[in-house]
């Protein structure tokens, strides 16, 4: 990991045009995953060339088959990035650290996926949630097993009205599935 950190730091020094809070951000890294960030296609191409060049000094190679490119924009157009003689594959979405990133920058796909995961979690524990256990305990169990799945990463979501409706309608479905009016009323508070 330290090796990878030094490689990217050396390769990307002075490159990049993606700013957050006034600072240029070159990468997002986790374990052996690396995401390069750039606003302009030519800047990204230069970053990749430099990364490959410095990587060779460290006896490391970029796996072209596993490398993908995505443009996140209101009007996402394909990006043409070449490594050797091969153009990198453009993707419409990809999963990074458990969250789905899409080329339109919206969270709808991620929210629907999270709701489906929460639904699965609910169904696995349905007998527990609809049992005669203490109401407060059942509410805590639903929060632990269902809502933690549904809302993972929610702090990064930019919600549109339709996304908010998906979440609210799922909340209603969970309450209805429990079949317990007492739980319904107490969860709405």
């Amino acid at each position: 990991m330290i090796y990878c950190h030094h490689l990217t730091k050396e390769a990307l020094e002075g490159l990049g045009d993606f700013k957050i809070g006034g600072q240029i951000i070159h990468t997002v890294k986790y374990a052996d995953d690396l995401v390069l960030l750039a606003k302009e296609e030519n800047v990204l191409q230069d970053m990749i060339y430099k990364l490959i060049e410095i990587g060779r000094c460290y006896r490391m190679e970029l796996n072209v088959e596993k490398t993908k490119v995505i443009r996140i924009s209101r009007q996402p157009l394909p990006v043409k990035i070449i490594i050797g003689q091969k153009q990198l594959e453009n993707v419409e979405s990809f999963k990074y650290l458990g969250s789905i990133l899409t080329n339109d920058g919206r969270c709808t796909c991620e929210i629907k996926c999270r709701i489906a995961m929460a639904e699965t979690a609910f169904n696995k524990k349905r007998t527990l949630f609809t049992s005669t256990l203490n109401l407060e305990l059942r509410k805590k169990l639903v929060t632990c097993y269902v809502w933690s799945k549904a809302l993972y990463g929610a702090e990064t979501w930019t919600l549109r009205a339709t996304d908010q409706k998906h979440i609210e309608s799922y909340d209603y479905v969970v309450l209805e599935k429990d079949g317990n009016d007492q739980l319904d009323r107490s969860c709405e508070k």
Side-chain angles (χ1 to χ4, degrees), residues 10-77:
E10 184 179 338
L12 303 176
E13 191 70 38
L15 293 174
D17 61 352
F18 192 85
K19 289 185 181 183
I20 297 177
Q23 282 193 312
I24 292 178
I25 307 296
H26 303 104
T27 61
V28 177
K29 298 177 233 174
Y30 183 78
D32 64 343
D33 288 336
L34 176 66
V35 176
L36 297 177
L37 304 169
K39 285 185 176 182
E40 300 295 328
E41 193 172 313
N42 63 326
V43 173
L44 181 60
Q45 183 72 68
D46 291 344
M47 291 169 76
I48 290 173
Y49 283 151
K50 191 69 173 173
L51 194 62
I52 291 169
E53 178 188 324
I54 299 300
R56 287 187 183 127
C57 297
Y58 285 82
R59 296 183 183 203
M60 295 179 81
E61 288 187 29
L62 186 78
N63 186 334
V64 179
E65 298 303 317
K66 287 185 174 181
T67 304
K68 312 288 185 230
V69 66
I70 185 171
R71 177 179 302 206
I72 299 175
S73 171
R74 287 188 180 124
Q75 298 169 335
L77 302 170

